[in-house]
Amino acid sequence: MTVITRFAPSPTGKIHIGNLRPAIINWMYARSMGGQFMLRIDDTDQERSTEEFAQGIKDDLTWLGLGWDFEARQSDRFDKYDAVVSKLKASGRLYPCYETAGELERKRKRQMGRGLPPVYDRAALELTEKEIVALEAEGRKAHWRFKLEDRAVAWVDLVRGEQSIEASSLSDPILVREDGTYLYTLPSVIDDIEFKISHVIRGEDHVANTGAQIQIFEALGATPPSFAHHNLLVGKDGEGLSKRLGSLSISSFRDEGIEPMAVVSHAATIGSSNPIVPHKTIDSIADEFAFEKLSRAPARFDVDELKLLNAKLLHDMDYALVSERLKALGIEGGESFWDTVKANIETFSDVSDWWRIVQGPIAPVIEDADFCKAALAALPPAPLNENSWGEWTGAVKAATGAKGKALFQPLRLALTGEQHGPELKTLLPLIGHERVVQRLSGEAA
Ligand code: GLU
């Protein structure tokens, strides 16, 4: 069997760290099985869906390196859905209901007041022809519910194990609203059948939907795909993420300078037994994926962990992966510059600060002019290389008697104007003999 998975976002907002997980998990599973990954834009809600959000979703996936093999858009496919709806109406599985939202709410409250589950009572199935005519004459329009069969729906969930839902514990799902628009439930099943989706992988907030959708697959004469429901993310305080989603969007991470591979590495491993470690490229990330590694408990997301992972990723990044980006920033220090400063950056753009320090002009900090004079006298001749630092500090130590921090810190302050920073051994040749002389003399250079 060919594995075909899909990521099916509704373009009613940006992708954030929570709904990126189904994207990554579907992508990893398809890649690890040599299968295909589909992007499906679930835009049946035409009022809330926008082209801008749909494009934003594609831009985010592209930025992350999560390519898709093919795509479809539900708003292009209404004809197909209409044809299926006609059939379901004809067979009586789809039935018209006329309750208003207020009436349904009152029913629910009454049921809850009596300690009953708030399941739709199917009152609409009892309506006579005459009553229906009268309701329509009042100007009411029908919404359409799918009649579930009263039996248990069972499946072996690839994350949660054996699942069984009594259909009688579910309300007959509304598939078509009174204005004729579709909820996602039916189009999703129709598409999953047509695009031969082998595995539906989504968050565990969809478990009850799966109970109803399996019956829809069966009503349409199809074998349901395999299902996997992954755990959800909560904030570090244990609360749901919904309140802070704006600041947790993929585009806001991009704007903050977080590397795509930090986001992917984090989202691919959080909530699983795999360690959260940085992956340098997307190629290897699917190799370790397995459904059994996903935990059942909610996973805590902490943005500081993502930032830490981002720094770790950069600290270990090979020059070949960043050379073009350095050039684009006008940084010509090459591999030795990158290797010197990478351990001292948290986001990539920090390299510009170190390049400015190398190139100058900086304001050197001279705390002891006599010491700096002695250091200048001991400076090896141009050109400085990676041995110069050792030779130089040996000579300064001999001349002044300073050692340890008392030896290195005044040199760092004079050469960089900073208290902390990359290894001076490699920084020294990058700064170069001329600027070192000027800075030791207290000149801005
Ligand atoms: N559009 C649905 C959602 O975003 C898709 C759910 C599914 O994967 O079936 O929740």
Side-chain angles (χ1 to χ4, degrees), residues 6 8-10 40 42 184 188 200-202 206 213:
R6 86 292 196 280
S10 300
R40 191 180 82 200
D42 281 8
Y184 108 101
S188 179
V200 169
I201 306 167
R202 55 191 180 185
H206 281 289
Q213 284 180 319

Side-chain angles (χ1 to χ4, degrees), residues 94-100 103-104 107 120-129 131-132 135 142-145 147 172:
L94 207 53
Y95 63 94
C97 303
Y98 292 88
E99 293 92 345
T100 61
E103 285 164 354
L104 289 173
K107 277 190 197 204
Y120 178 61
D121 62 5
R122 294 181 166 166
L125 281 176
E126 310 297 323
L127 292 173
T128 62
E129 275 298 318
E131 285 167 324
I132 290 182
L135 285 164
H143 56 268
W144 295 81
R145 287 188 191 259
K147 188 161 176 277
D172 287 341

Side-chain angles (χ1 to χ4, degrees), residues 69-115:
D69 300 298
F70 62 101
E71 71 180 89
R73 191 179 267 264
Q74 293 193 321
S75 59
D76 290 338
R77 299 172 46 75
F78 288 129
D79 289 354
K80 311 225 175 219
Y81 310 148
D82 292 347
V84 174
V85 159
S86 301
K87 272 195 212 153
L88 289 174
K89 281 181 183 171
S91 68
R93 285 306 286 276
L94 207 53
Y95 63 94
C97 303
Y98 292 88
E99 293 92 345
T100 61
E103 285 164 354
L104 289 173
E105 188 50 35
R106 281 193 290 281
K107 277 190 197 204
R108 270 195 290 271
K109 282 205 176 126
R110 271 201 304 277
Q111 288 169 310
M112 309 255 271
R114 278 192 251 131

Side-chain angles (χ1 to χ4, degrees), residues 6 21-22 25 155-161 163 165 184 200-211 213-214 225-232 291 294-297:
R6 86 292 196 280
R21 279 185 75 235
I25 296 173
W155 73 95
V156 180
D157 195 286
L158 293 165
V159 178
R160 299 160 61 90
Q163 302 287 296
I165 295 184
Y184 108 101
V200 169
I201 306 167
R202 55 191 180 185
E204 62 186 20
D205 47 338
H206 281 289
V207 167
N209 284 341
T210 297
Q213 284 180 319
I214 285 180
S226 299
F227 285 91
H229 295 88
H230 62 76
N231 56 354
L232 300 178
F291 285 116
L294 288 176
S295 98
R296 293 279 310 268

Side-chain angles (χ1 to χ4, degrees), residues 357-371:
I357 286 170
V358 165
Q359 287 250 297
I362 60 139
V365 176
I366 308 288
E367 283 185 338
D368 179 342
D370 289 340
F371 178 84

